[in-house]
Amino acid sequence: MTSSKSLLRYTKKMNDHRQELLAEEGAFSDLAQLLIDRDVKRVFLVSGKQTQKLKLYDSFVEKLQNSGIRCFVWAKVDKLAENSVIETCATECSTYNCEAIVAFGGGAVIDVAKMVSVWLKNPEYSLYQMRGINRIPKSGIPLYVVSTTCSGAESSACSILHDADKQLSLYYSQYLVPDVTVLDPDLVLRLPMENMASAAILALSHAVEAFISPMAKEFPADKANIQIAIPIYFSYLEKSYKHGAGNDVYLQMMMAPYYTGVGTRRIGFGPAHSLIMYVAAKYGEVPGRVASILLPAVLEYEFDEVKEDLAQLALASHLCSARATMEEAAKAFISGFKSLCRRVDMPSSLPFLKLEDMGDIVRMAMYDAKLWGCPKKVNLKAGVSILKKARYSE
């Protein structure tokens, strides 16, 4: 794994990706017309196993087929994808000679589609050779993403997979930014809200870590995108989760992870992200539910180093009085995050964490966290202490 200096060198030179955004009611239907207008003849649609049962994209496929476009559906993604899934998916897409990929789903589906897109244009490289920073030589085939769970993957520059040994593999490249992203609030109303809530909490954790990262000062425009996003989570996530709002609120809630993904393209994440992903992978848990406990534990560990940024976020999100001291405001932000998680039925602790697993989890997370800008270095003792706190947190 390369270092945060390598990431900074690359992201400073990263080209801006002019991503098209379709964000409104009925945008998913507009995507079908866009593909028709662009004279695409063969489309490969990637989705999750459960999503296919909901028949959310049947009318989309029918509209394409009625216009003479052949659409091949591959609905085999389940949670975090393994390398073998990428290989199988890419083989089928190549067999059908598809000109474009449409990813319909959450972060795992989008990550698979990203890697299939670039691998088809870089067949001489293995997935192992492309992992890391700036290891993907050429852009992929056109990728259209329909986000359904507010994950932020729809606008980010990274993809996360399992390798053969169940280790996490990170791919980071400007070529992983989708060409077109669709945010359609009509889709949110037809999907389980707990999926949206957990994905949004994970995206919020990404946003917070990016904002407090030492690398953020190098990219003020990206940090500004994140500062726009974070108050939206606090204003609209609970309303969306409880179905107590209209499509305008759902669209706002979908925009927050989009801004987060844009903001993290250059800044990246932080140590909490690495811990979250390894804990989730180890126990087969949903990353957002893990993030609801681990992010506050990491922020409390980093408190002295990040309290100024947390105070700024608390004021922007209306979580404290304007007369609060910096320390009071920073603590209010952590309390506000915990409160939001409780209101959308996230867990209050992670009792499944086993003491005998903690050392290995922290070692792997520490290795990966070298990539990110960490406000405070996490050593083995501190990492285990954070996990113990998460296990018994209430």
Side-chain angles (χ1 to χ4, degrees):
M1 177 67 68
T2 47
S3 68
S4 58
K5 291 182 180 178
S6 300
L7 178 63
L8 185 58
R9 281 195 298 269
Y10 172 61
T11 53
K12 280 186 173 181
K13 298 184 296 182
M14 184 187 287
N15 292 329
D16 283 324
H17 189 97
R18 296 300 178 184
Q19 186 180 36
E20 293 182 62
L21 176 63
L22 305 178
E24 61 182 352
E25 294 178 40
F28 186 34
S29 180
D30 294 341
L31 175 60
Q33 190 59 51
L34 182 65
L35 291 166
I36 293 167
D37 293 343
R38 292 183 176 178
D39 201 28
V40 176
K41 298 301 182 186
R42 302 168 80 85
V43 171
F44 195 74
L45 191 151
V46 180
S47 83
K49 295 178 180 179
Q50 299 302 316
T51 307
Q52 187 181 37
K53 298 176 183 178
L54 299 175
K55 301 184 181 299
L56 296 177
Y57 48 74
D58 286 8
S59 59
F60 172 80
V61 173
E62 183 179 358
K63 183 173 181 178
L64 293 181
Q65 291 176 338
N66 289 340
S67 300
I69 298 176
R70 298 195 67 184
C71 186
F72 305 90
V73 177
W74 195 87
K76 299 180 183 180
V77 181
D78 184 22
K79 296 186 178 179
L80 195 63
E82 297 183 11
N83 290 358
S84 58
V85 173
I86 305 298
E87 294 166 2
T88 303
C89 185
T91 298
E92 288 205 28
C93 186
S94 179
T95 299
Y96 297 129
N97 196 27
C98 293
E99 304 165 54
I101 297 174
V102 173
F104 186 100
V109 170
I110 295 170
D111 282 351
V112 168
K114 286 178 176 182
M115 292 309 301
V116 170
S117 168
V118 294
W119 201 18
L120 289 173
K121 287 293 187 179
N122 297 275
E124 67 275 22
Y125 290 83
S126 67
L127 289 172
Y128 179 82
Q129 289 172 314
M130 289 194 293
R131 72 178 183 172
I133 303 168
N134 192 26
R135 300 282 182 82
I136 300 172
K138 296 182 293 187
S139 60
I141 67 173
L143 174 60
Y144 301 77
V145 166
V146 183
S147 175
T148 61
T149 62
C150 305
S151 70
E154 62 272 14
S155 53
S156 74
C158 69
S159 182
I160 298 174
L161 308 175
H162 270 138
D163 63 19
D165 298 321
K166 299 294 183 181
Q167 298 296 305
L168 296 180
S169 295
L170 176 79
Y171 300 82
Y172 209 107
S173 170
Q174 65 193 41
Y175 299 131
L176 292 175
V177 179
D179 298 285
V180 177
T181 289
V182 175
L183 305 177
D184 189 339
D186 286 336
L187 295 174
V188 177
L189 293 167
R190 301 163 65 186
L191 290 163
M193 295 309 294
E194 59 267 23
N195 294 355
M196 182 276 293
S198 60
I201 291 297
L202 181 61
L204 174 54
S205 74
H206 291 165
V208 173
E209 285 212 289
F211 191 84
I212 66 176
S213 170
M215 293 177 63
K217 65 180 181 294
E218 303 287 344
F219 306 106
D222 297 299
K223 189 171 183 178
N225 270 317
I226 294 167
Q227 191 167 8
I228 290 171
I230 289 176
I232 297 175
Y233 292 102
F234 286 100
S235 296
Y236 295 111
L237 177 54
E238 183 182 8
K239 293 177 183 178
S240 299
Y241 178 71
K242 294 180 177 178
H243 283 295
N247 274 359
D248 56 335
V249 169
Y250 291 119
L251 182 57
Q252 286 287 338
M253 190 55 245
M254 299 180 86
M255 288 301 302
Y258 179 83
Y259 285 130
T260 298
V262 172
T264 60
R265 284 181 196 172
R266 290 180 171 83
I267 299 173
F269 308 119
H273 167 79
S274 298
L275 282 171
I276 290 162
M277 297 310 293
Y278 274 106
V279 169
K282 176 70 176 178
Y283 299 103
E285 294 291 327
V286 177
R289 295 178 66 80
V290 176
S292 69
I293 304 301
L294 276 183
L295 179 68
V298 172
L299 293 179
E300 287 164 356
Y301 169 73
E302 300 172 330
F303 188 79
D304 288 339
E305 288 75 16
V306 303
K307 60 185 178 183
E308 183 177 352
D309 283 328
L310 293 182
Q312 189 176 345
L313 292 176
L315 288 167
S317 303
H318 305 290
L319 297 175
C320 67
S321 165
R323 295 188 296 274
T325 66
M326 181 190 299
E327 188 157 319
E328 289 170 342
K331 289 180 178 178
F333 182 83
I334 296 175
S335 296
F337 179 86
K338 291 179 178 179
S339 176
L340 177 62
C341 290
R342 287 195 298 270
R343 298 197 303 273
V344 295
D345 298 322
M346 293 292 107
S348 58
S349 62
L350 303 178
F352 54 80
L353 275 170
K354 297 179 181 178
L355 293 175
E356 59 267 29
D357 295 334
M358 291 183 180
D360 287 341
I361 290 171
V362 173
R363 288 186 190 93
M364 291 186 292
M366 284 168 53
Y367 181 72
D368 282 4
K370 292 177 182 177
L371 179 65
W372 314 121
C374 300
K376 182 178 180 180
K377 186 176 180 180
V378 179
N379 56 30
L380 180 60
K381 182 179 179 180
V384 170
S385 177
I386 288 168
L387 292 184
K388 286 181 178 178
K389 188 174 184 178
R391 183 187 184 194
Y392 300 113
S393 177
E394 289 295 342

